[in-house]
Amino acid sequence: MTRIVLASGSPRRRELLEKIGITDFTVRVPQVEESYPESLSPEEIVSYISRKKSLALPTTEDEIVITADTMVFLDDKRLGKPHSEAHALSMLTALAGREHTVCTGVTVRQGEKILTRAAATQVYFRSADEAELRAYIRSGEPMDKAGAYGIQGQGALLVERIDGDFFNVMGLPVLLLSRMLETFGVKLLK
């Protein structure tokens, strides 16, 4: 019997797998340096790191391994996780009233078969004043999130609209993943 392995420590990814009907899976987190060649596009960067994570995890033929990497880009510049409240304020100020892109690379691997794809979602932030941004930062939510916000929490109050997969912004484009899993014989709606 094929086992599903989620190679991610993200609680949001675990929650999303469960919501789409994958409830019996193991979590194993690969230790990978998230470096990449400078010449890559945002979609290529997340694909490269997702694949790197997958290949770093020992596996067996009876396991399907899912890895993902999500990044936020403003004007093609990567916005990582803030290292301080001042850094979070700087990021959120830069995003306020602007459009940015959230990209997630997903890799599914079983034995020698490996498939990597990427999803990009455009996110439009509303204008927000410094007092609002500081209030959001005080919630603590931005401090462990790429781009200093979580769309699934209070960060949703900053988002005017999105164009693309909402779940991609949370860290796992579930429709893309389901189509990738089908090529490995896993059909979620049967």
Side-chain angles (χ1 to χ4, degrees):
M1 180 172 170
T2 305
R3 295 176 300 199
I4 302 287
V5 175
L6 175 62
S8 172
S10 166
R12 287 166 295 284
R13 289 189 182 119
R14 279 183 248 154
E15 175 188 339
L16 288 172
L17 276 190
E18 290 171 352
K19 285 188 182 293
I20 63 171
I22 301 174
T23 56
D24 186 18
F25 61 91
T26 305
V27 174
R28 293 203 310 258
V29 182
Q31 299 303 311
V32 174
E33 182 183 326
E34 295 190 8
S35 60
Y36 51 87
E38 292 293 320
S39 61
L40 300 180
S41 71
E43 289 90 349
E44 290 169 333
I45 291 169
V46 294
S47 295
Y48 181 90
I49 294 175
S50 172
R51 191 176 195 90
K52 191 174 180 180
K53 288 177 180 179
S54 181
L55 295 173
L57 194 67
T59 185
T60 62
E61 286 291 328
D62 64 340
E63 293 178 324
I64 294 175
V65 176
I66 300 166
T67 56
D69 190 72
T70 302
M71 293 184 182
V72 175
F73 295 89
L74 178 63
D75 301 326
D76 288 334
K77 180 183 174 208
R78 178 183 174 191
L79 298 181
K81 295 177 183 177
H83 49 75
S84 67
E85 289 187 0
H87 189 217
L89 180 61
S90 173
M91 280 195 262
L92 291 169
T93 300
L95 292 171
R98 302 213 31 222
E99 169 189 356
H100 63 277
T101 305
V102 178
C103 294
T104 301
V106 179
T107 299
V108 179
R109 177 171 63 109
Q110 183 176 26
E112 296 298 313
K113 183 178 179 180
I114 187 166
L115 183 62
T116 302
R117 299 283 183 269
T121 301
Q122 300 306 118
V123 181
Y124 301 82
F125 263 32
R126 67 174 178 82
S127 295
D129 62 32
E130 185 175 330
E132 290 176 298
L133 299 177
R134 287 188 181 280
Y136 177 54
I137 292 166
R138 279 194 304 276
S139 75
E141 186 178 279
M143 301 314 295
D144 69 338
K145 311 273 188 310
Y149 76 96
I151 197 168
Q152 70 279 5
Q154 283 189 321
L157 301 173
L158 301 173
V159 176
E160 187 172 285
R161 67 185 173 93
I162 69 167
D163 182 10
D165 185 338
F166 172 83
F167 300 106
N168 179 45
V169 184
M170 285 182 65
L172 192 63
V174 295
L175 178 60
L176 174 64
L177 174 62
S178 71
R179 290 184 173 153
M180 293 170 73
L181 286 171
E182 284 180 9
T183 67
F184 288 82
V186 177
K187 188 159 177 65
L188 298 175
L189 292 175
K190 42 184 165 168

